[in-house]
Amino acid sequence: MPTVALMWEAKAAPDRAPDLLAWARAQTLPPSGIPCERREHFTAPGDRVLVIT
């Protein structure tokens, strides 16, 4: 089976990146039905949150 990586990035409202990160971590995966072996969360300058599965 091929490996598939999915990436999601969003910009939070000013100073709300911690709330967005907490929300992203609380989401149940996978909603698409594709098995998820690993999920990583990152923050970036500009109140951005990135999720890679």
Side-chain angles (χ1 to χ4, degrees):
M1 176 181 227
T3 299
V4 176
L6 302 173
M7 183 182 91
W8 174 87
E9 182 178 4
K11 180 175 173 58
D15 300 318
R16 298 290 305 270
D19 296 327
L20 181 56
L21 180 61
W23 175 86
R25 286 184 169 152
Q27 299 310 298
T28 302
L29 291 177
S32 64
I34 299 169
C36 179
E37 293 181 21
R38 188 169 103 198
R39 175 170 60 170
E40 296 185 34
H41 301 85
F42 302 93
T43 57
D47 293 309
R48 294 179 304 150
V49 171
L50 175 70
V51 180
I52 299 176
T53 63

